[in-house]
């Protein structure tokens, strides 16, 4: 039987102390714009958890919850901050796992870049804005712990003052693909053996090699490379560290989870770029004076190492069972499934990537790089009303087909050359139907990926657990249920990565929390099965043909050869 991933229960071995680093700069100047809300009155944080009293509460039923009326004004809280690709979520969690309040701030990516990048100062401004929104109604002096999560595979190069020396390159950035293809076969084989992954542009190694190859003078200025959540934590604490869930994406860890010095040297990267590894739930520092002033927190509050957003989402879900797959519908649509350690997997190798959960167990991850990104493009192109009005019923005779690969295909092809396409437009094609074509395309890809995973299983999956902002698009969970033939359990809490981050904050101060999971079912409709099969068959044909066309050589050089600026 396939083993599930469960949240960790026992105290993890204490991590090594994070190396001290002097933060020479003023954290305020990292912000692209000032956070709203004015000056916050600071109160000493209550860090003695023995004095916590709280009443048990029912599971939250709304994605965005403000439960201040049922929470004691003196109860200690954990602050979870999730630094996403296009927005930041900040969330307060009480000692029993109930969500007290949620806030968010939009930041987006650099629209003028030829790649997919962002100024890290924009992240800090966004995080400050979200935390300030919480502070407008909740006394942040009650925050006794902080946990962080962030978009995975981001590469932030920082100097001795922890200031970025270049824009952050993100997961969907395709620069570095040529450098990966140039790697020696022996190096590639070693990475596959130790991580379960073949090198591709979705990993942070790609960006590191691109900087080394194209702009070595920039890399030479860097003291360390940090992930998104690690940079946020460094801004709060003045200390640098990372954890396995983010470091894994560098493909430079040994099987035991430590940096592989020989492999780092073999790919030509400086060893000093790679920070100390700590467990996700260990304390990686405390809020320093500058971080306290910038975020309205009390100085000295412990900050957990934290985790990449996918691992944090799994933590917020409470883990996944061996008979379910989890789907997070965000800027990227991702699918997660537990890996059976006794199985000899052949289908997953290359088609999926493998990653460690917070407790060290591995899970298979399928990344569809442009799930919500395609919807954001449609929102800007055809309007938000079309998304709300998108029908969930298939039209088997409609020739419309949408390929949502705005930043490459991700799983299972990991083809960075692929682009998006819309074909089969007729005079009767409506904007809502175009949105439906995008939703069904991602559902078709998910169904094909589930089929691949089931080749290595003795029993099929029984249901899908869906979470993320995309579940608010009314038609999407229904289309996924119909196309896969599996019931979809839609999780009510929309900010699970922030929930997981806050849970890790509690764990860092010795308190284990598991948040309740409220969900509602969406069942497949057998009456539409034949119509969906026809549309799925057409999608496969169009997908195969257009990807073959994209792979033909063409000139001039792609924009990814240009420098980040």
């Amino acid at each position: 039987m396939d083993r599930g991933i469960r949240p960790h229960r026992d105290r993890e071995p204490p991590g090594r102390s994070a190396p001290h680093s002097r933060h020479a700069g003023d954290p305020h100047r990292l912000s692209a714009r000032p956070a709203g809300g004015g000056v916050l009155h600071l109160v000493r944080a209550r860090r003695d958890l023995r004095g916590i009293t709280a009443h048990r509460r029912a599971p939250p039923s709304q994605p965005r919850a403000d439960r201040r009326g049922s929470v004691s004004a003196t109860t200690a809280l954990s602050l979870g901050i999730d630094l996403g690709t296009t927005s930041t979520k900040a969330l307060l969690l009480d000692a029993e796992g109930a969500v007290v309040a949620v806030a968010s701030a939009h930041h987006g990516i650099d629209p003028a870049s030829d790649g997919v990048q962002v100024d890290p100062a924009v992240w800090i401004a966004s995080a400050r804005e979200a935390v300030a929104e919480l502070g407008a109604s909740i006394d942040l002096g009650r925050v006794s712990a902080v946990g962080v999560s962030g978009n995975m595979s981001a590469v932030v190069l920082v100097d001795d003052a922890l200031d970025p020396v270049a824009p952050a390159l993100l997961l969907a950035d395709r620069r570095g693909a040529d450098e990966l293809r140039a790697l020696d076969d022996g190096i590639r084989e070693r990475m596959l053996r130790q991580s379960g992954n073949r090198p591709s542009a979705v990993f942070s190694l790609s960006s590191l090699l691109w900087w080394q190859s194209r702009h070595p003078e920039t890399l030479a200025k860097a003291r360390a490379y940090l992930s998104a959540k690690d940079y946020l934590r460094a801004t709060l604490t003045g200390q640098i560290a990372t954890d396995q869930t983010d470091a894994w994406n560098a493909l430079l860890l040994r099987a035991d989870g430590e940096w592989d010095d020989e492999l780092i040297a073999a790919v030509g990267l400086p060893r000093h770029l790679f920070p100390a590894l700590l467990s996700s739930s260990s304390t990686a520092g405390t809020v320093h004076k500058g971080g306290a002033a910038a975020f309205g927190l009390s100085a000295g509050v412990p900050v957990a190492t934290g985790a990449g957003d996918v691992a944090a989402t799994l933590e917020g879900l409470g883990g996944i069972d061996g008979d379910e797959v989890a789907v997070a519908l965000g800027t990227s649509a991702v699918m997660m499934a537990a890996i059976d350690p006794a199985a000899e997997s052949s289908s997953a190798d290359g088609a999926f990537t493998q990653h460690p959960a917070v407790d060290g167990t591995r899970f298979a991850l399928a990344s569809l790089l442009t799930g919500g990104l395609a919807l954001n493009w449609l929102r800007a192109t055809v309007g938000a009303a079309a998304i709300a009005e998108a029908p969930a019923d298939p039209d088997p005779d409609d020739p419309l087909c949408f390929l949502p690969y705005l930043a490459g295909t991700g799983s299972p092809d990991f083809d960075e050359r692929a682009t998006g396409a819309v074909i089969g437009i007729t005079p009767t094609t409506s904007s809502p139907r175009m949105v439906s074509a995008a939703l069904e395309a991602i559902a078709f890809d998910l169904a094909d990926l589930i089929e691949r995973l089931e080749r290595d299983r003795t029993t099929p999956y029984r249901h899908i657990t869906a979470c993320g902002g995309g579940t608010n698009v009314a038609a999407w969970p229904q289309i996924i249920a119909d196309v896969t033939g599996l019931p979809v359990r839609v999780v009510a809490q929309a900010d699970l990565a922030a929930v997981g981050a806050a849970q890790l904050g509690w764990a860092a101060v010795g308190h284990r929390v598991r948040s309740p999971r409220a969900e509602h079912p969406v069942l497949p409709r057998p009456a539409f099965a034949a119509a969906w099969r026809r549309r799925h068959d057409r999608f496969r044909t169009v997908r195969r043909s257009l990807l073959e066309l994209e792979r033909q050589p063409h000139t001039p050089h792609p924009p990814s050869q240009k420098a980040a600026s």
Side-chain angles (χ1 to χ4, degrees), residues 126-261:
S126 177
R128 289 179 61 192
E129 182 180 338
V131 174
E133 183 180 334
L134 293 177
S137 55
I138 303 289
D139 178 11
L140 295 181
R142 294 164 55 191
V143 172
S144 299
V146 179
V148 291
S149 70
N151 57 91
M152 296 172 65
S153 286
V155 170
V156 187
L157 301 176
V158 297
D159 60 18
D160 287 337
L162 302 188
D163 291 326
V165 301
L169 306 189
L170 307 185
L171 178 146
D173 194 290
R174 291 179 279 184
R175 288 172 286 193
D178 290 341
E179 281 73 17
L180 288 177
R181 283 190 284 267
L183 287 175
D184 179 84
D185 287 344
I187 291 175
R188 299 170 67 87
E189 193 61 35
R190 182 165 174 170
M191 290 176 177
L192 175 61
R193 185 172 65 252
Q194 294 183 169
S195 71
N197 299 312
R198 291 187 172 93
S200 78
V202 301
F203 293 107
S204 53
L205 175 65
S206 172
S207 296
L208 288 169
L209 293 179
W210 185 82
W211 283 118
Q212 176 78 314
S213 172
R214 309 301 174 95
H215 301 281
E217 73 286 352
T218 299
L219 196 66
K221 299 175 185 177
R223 169 193 172 181
Y225 118 76
L226 302 177
S227 67
K229 70 100 170 50
D230 295 332
Y231 176 65
L232 172 61
R233 192 187 58 253
T235 303
L236 284 165
T237 67
Q239 297 181 349
I240 61 172
T242 192
D243 78 310
Q244 274 197 47
T245 67
D246 263 328
W248 198 266
N249 279 21
L251 303 182
L252 297 172
L253 293 183
R254 301 194 306 258
D256 64 0
E258 296 294 331
W259 291 118
D260 187 332
D261 291 351

Side-chain angles (χ1 to χ4, degrees), residues 6-86:
R6 313 311 309 166
H8 54 286
R9 291 285 178 265
D10 299 323
R11 181 72 174 174
E12 294 181 16
R16 296 166 295 182
S17 297
H20 176 73
S21 74
R22 180 177 57 86
H23 193 350
D26 179 357
H28 290 282
R29 70 184 173 89
L30 290 174
S31 299
R33 60 187 187 280
V39 178
L40 297 175
H41 177 64
L42 300 184
V43 181
R44 182 178 302 277
R46 294 170 176 260
R47 294 187 295 277
D48 184 358
L49 298 180
R50 292 172 297 178
I52 292 176
T53 58
H55 301 289
R56 185 170 301 278
R57 299 172 182 82
S61 58
Q62 299 297 326
R64 183 178 175 87
D66 184 348
R67 302 169 60 83
R68 286 169 286 163
S70 61
V71 179
S72 166
T74 60
T75 303
L77 302 170
S78 177
L79 169 64
I81 306 176
D82 173 43
L83 201 59
T85 305
T86 58

Side-chain angles (χ1 to χ4, degrees), residues 472-483:
N472 294 321
V473 179
W476 212 351
Q478 185 63 69
I479 290 174
I480 291 173
D482 287 350
V483 169

